Amino acid sequence: MSSDGWCGSVVLVLGSATGGTGGHVASLARGLLASGCRVLVCGPSATDAHYGFSASGVDFAPVEIPADPGPQDSGAIRALRRAVAGREAEVIHAHGLRAAFVAAIARTGVPLVVTWHNAVLAKGLKGQAGALLERIVARSAALTLGASEDLVERAAALGARNARLGPVAAPEMAPPRRSRAAVRAEFRLRGATPLILSVGRLHPQKHYDLLVDAAARWRELDPAPVVAVAGSGPSYMPLAQQASRLHAPFHLLGHRTDVADLLLGADLAVITSDWEARQLFAQEVLHAGVPLITTAVGGLPGLVGDAAVLIPPGDLEALDEAVRRMLADPRMRADYAARGPRQAATWPGEADVVADVRSAYAQVAAVHR
């Protein structure tokens, strides 16, 4: 059988995921099922509720993989073994280091493919534990796919036998359901008041505290822009308190399912992360034709090309200057708005990604046989 025609049995494993990783697994599961593959997804019950694996006809087995390693991993390992037993799976494809670690320790006898979606950014003891996890995962996988080139290099340096870039497509976004005027009315925006948008988990990695500091500075502009961040996470209270203390025009919107609407209402999108691989929001922004300012970290420069303004991470002055320049220059905003969809057209689509992993599975399964 040719690699392009592989229609075997695969187990997709994921941990606690509500962002791009989970969306990627959901896209893969649907595409593989439509291609005639037998697909089982293993992950926390909450991921089935969030991504609708069972509802879309994909087999799902609950495997509660906690966010941090610990004694509770033993339960996840047993649950994964039970789920895989008797399925005659040809490949296990784990997404993220936590899911990959559980799959590696489970030792099911099925060849393991791992996609690295994130880097270990923690320091101290937690960082050391993360580095050990990376090493175990790198050496356990028959094939390692990295969502960005730096992840591929990291895996190879830690002993991965076969590591390469693995394309991750942004799921197609539904069209907006509201008008631009209706979205702007939600934020009580008048006239030409700019709306600056960011979307992502409220986590220190995203460095949204930098965006709050900048929003406080932008109060002196006329009109002063309003900044909105959609997402939930552990940084919610510290960010809310910071915005209140600085009287910053900064809105925390919580988890939203209407990102397409928010992008239609936005004049500018900003990413302040310390690291990203192939961030979902960056892809959504460029697809939507919204001007983007982003930190030059991880896989973002390669993803956006010349279709976004790149700034150093953690640099308040650079962020402040880039936003002021963009807001003051309508022609510049129009130029970057046009560049976005052109760059997005060069990215692999969901069908391309499914074809790529089917080819990878065929090769891994053939070597195992």
Side-chain angles (χ1 to χ4, degrees), residues 300-313:
L300 285 173
L303 177 70
V304 303
D306 66 353
V309 174
L310 297 173
I311 58 173

Side-chain angles (χ1 to χ4, degrees), residues 13-332:
V13 187
L14 76 162
S16 304
T18 56
T21 301
H24 173 61
V25 174
S27 168
L28 271 187
R30 289 191 304 268
L32 289 167
L33 192 67
S35 300
C37 301
R38 287 159 304 192
V39 183
L40 170 66
V41 176
C42 296
S45 299
T47 58
D48 189 26
H50 187 82
Y51 293 103
F53 294 114
S54 300
S56 63
V58 175
D59 288 344
F60 182 87
V63 176
E64 301 301 329
I65 301 173
D68 296 308
Q72 61 271 42
D73 277 358
S74 60
I77 291 164
R78 288 194 299 271
L80 182 60
R81 284 175 181 158
R82 285 195 301 270
V84 173
R87 278 197 71 90
E88 298 181 352
E90 295 173 64
V91 179
I92 293 177
H93 188 174
H95 294 263
L97 291 174
R98 288 291 297 121
F101 176 75
V102 168
I105 300 301
R107 292 186 174 86
T108 60
V110 181
L112 178 62
V113 174
V114 175
T115 295
W116 290 41
H117 290 271
N118 290 293
V120 174
L121 301 177
K123 306 296 182 185
L125 287 175
K126 196 167 184 179
Q128 291 172 22
L132 176 61
L133 200 90
E134 285 182 311
R135 190 177 301 276
I136 292 169
V137 167
R139 296 181 176 186
S140 300
L143 172 64
T144 298
L145 303 174
S148 59
E149 288 287 3
D150 59 329
L151 290 177
V152 176
E153 292 168 8
R154 174 70 175 164
L158 290 170
R161 285 171 280 169
N162 183 8
R164 66 167 174 84
L165 197 64
V168 176
E172 192 170 328
M173 195 163 51
R177 287 177 291 184
R178 292 184 288 164
S179 67
R180 177 174 166 86
V183 175
R184 292 176 64 79
E186 176 185 343
F187 300 99
R188 297 184 174 87
L189 300 176
R190 297 180 180 177
T193 300
L195 175 61
I196 299 174
L197 179 68
S198 194
V199 177
R201 186 164 182 256
L202 303 183
H203 185 277
Q205 174 193 333
K206 305 295 185 178
H207 223 326
Y208 286 131
D209 56 320
L210 198 75
L211 194 51
V212 178
D213 285 339
R217 290 186 174 194
W218 299 329
R219 283 184 305 164
E220 68 185 37
L221 298 177
D222 184 22
V226 168
V227 179
V229 175
S232 58
S235 296
Y236 182 91
M237 283 308 298
L239 290 170
Q241 291 165 352
Q242 181 188 1
S244 175
R245 185 175 69 253
L246 297 177
H247 304 289
F250 183 90
H251 298 266
L252 290 168
L253 308 181
H255 176 69
R256 298 286 290 249
T257 58
D258 60 344
V259 173
D261 292 24
L262 296 174
L263 283 168
L264 181 63
D267 300 279
L268 183 61
V270 173
I271 295 169
T272 51
S273 301
D274 289 330
W275 186 87
E276 296 284 354
R278 194 177 176 89
Q279 200 208 35
L280 175 61
F281 178 59
Q283 296 178 71
E284 291 172 334
V285 170
L286 267 57
H287 270 297
V290 175
L292 175 64
I293 295 170
T294 179
T295 44
V297 295
L300 285 173
L303 177 70
V304 303
D306 66 353
V309 174
L310 297 173
I311 58 173
D315 191 330
L316 178 60
E317 301 302 328
L319 172 62
D320 184 24
E321 180 187 346
V323 168
R324 287 174 186 263
R325 187 158 44 94
M326 189 78 86
L327 291 180
D329 191 340
R331 291 180 64 181
M332 183 182 183

